[in-house]
Amino acid sequence: MSIEGHSSAPGANVIVEHYCEHHDADGTRCKEWGGWGHSPSPAVPTRWWCFEHFPHKSYEQEQALRRKLEAAEGGKIIQ
Ligand SMILES: [Zn+2]
């Protein structure tokens, strides 16, 4: 894995790296980027998840994810 692309420009490291905080049952942490943050109040640090694990999706977002997963399922060859 490359770490190229990290800028050394002033202020570039202000953005904290936050990957999805979801853990599988066996303790393996999700490797997806946590692009979806949620905080119940300004006093609570924001938690981050990938889209698939984000627990605060709207109904429309849930439907979009479901369609995407079903499309992936349909791409498998079932014999
Ligand atoms: Zn995830």
Side-chain angles (χ1 to χ4, degrees), residues 27-59:
T28 305
R29 183 158 184 177
C30 177
K31 297 179 181 66
E32 297 293 320
W33 176 252
W36 292 73
H38 180 267
S39 172
S41 84
V44 179
T46 304
R47 297 170 69 190
W48 298 93
W49 295 268
C50 67
F51 182 55
E52 187 173 337
H53 294 131
F54 186 59
H56 304 283
K57 286 193 284 291
S58 69
Y59 177 80

Side-chain angles (χ1 to χ4, degrees), residues 6-18 33 48:
H6 282 225
S7 173
S8 58
N13 53 5
V14 169
I15 299 172
V16 178
E17 293 204 6
H18 45 78
W33 176 252
W48 298 93

